[in-house]
Amino acid sequence: MVFLDGVYKVKSNREAGYGRYDISLTAIDTRFPSIIIEIKQTDEINKLKESAKEALMQIKQKSYFQEFVNAETEILLIGLAFFGKTVEVEEEILSPLL
């Protein structure tokens, strides 16, 4: 994420909505989406997809994206789950509310 400097403002573990998100990437240029990432670890490989969906649902249920609601960019919500080196990702795009 270090290489995103100048394109995104990177924040982690900040309060937003009704909780704390893991990572927030605020787009500096409105051509790019702003991004909220929630990360889950699972102890069973067969629970990866379910955990990624739970992470995505947590972003929506706790309204972590509220700081971007009036922005002119799309908002990319990413739920990420991992087991060791195996990763599963669920995503959803919210259109800007102009």
Side-chain angles (χ1 to χ4, degrees):
M1 294 204 187
V2 171
F3 297 107
L4 296 175
D5 189 39
V7 180
Y8 286 97
K9 293 179 189 172
V10 180
K11 298 183 220 168
S12 67
N13 200 29
R14 299 276 176 94
E15 285 191 31
Y18 301 102
R20 291 181 174 270
Y21 56 74
D22 288 323
I23 301 170
S24 164
L25 303 168
T26 304
I28 294 170
D29 186 331
T30 58
R31 294 177 298 163
F32 302 106
S34 290
I35 304 168
I36 296 285
I37 303 170
E38 184 65 27
I39 303 168
K40 300 285 184 193
Q41 177 183 3
T42 182
D43 55 359
E44 295 181 40
I45 196 162
N46 61 345
K47 291 185 178 179
L48 275 173
K49 187 135 186 100
E50 176 185 340
S51 294
K53 286 182 180 183
E54 286 175 11
L56 181 60
M57 188 173 301
Q58 180 177 330
I59 293 169
K60 294 190 290 187
Q61 287 177 338
K62 295 195 175 190
S63 299
Y64 292 161
F65 53 85
Q66 285 301 312
E67 67 184 89
F68 301 126
V69 166
N70 294 320
E72 296 178 9
T73 66
E74 291 182 326
I75 306 165
L76 177 59
L77 312 179
I78 298 176
L80 188 146
F82 69 94
F83 173 80
K85 294 183 179 184
T86 305
V87 177
E88 183 73 37
V89 177
E90 290 284 324
E91 83 284 332
E92 184 175 321
I93 295 177
L94 300 180
S95 296
L97 304 173
L98 301 174

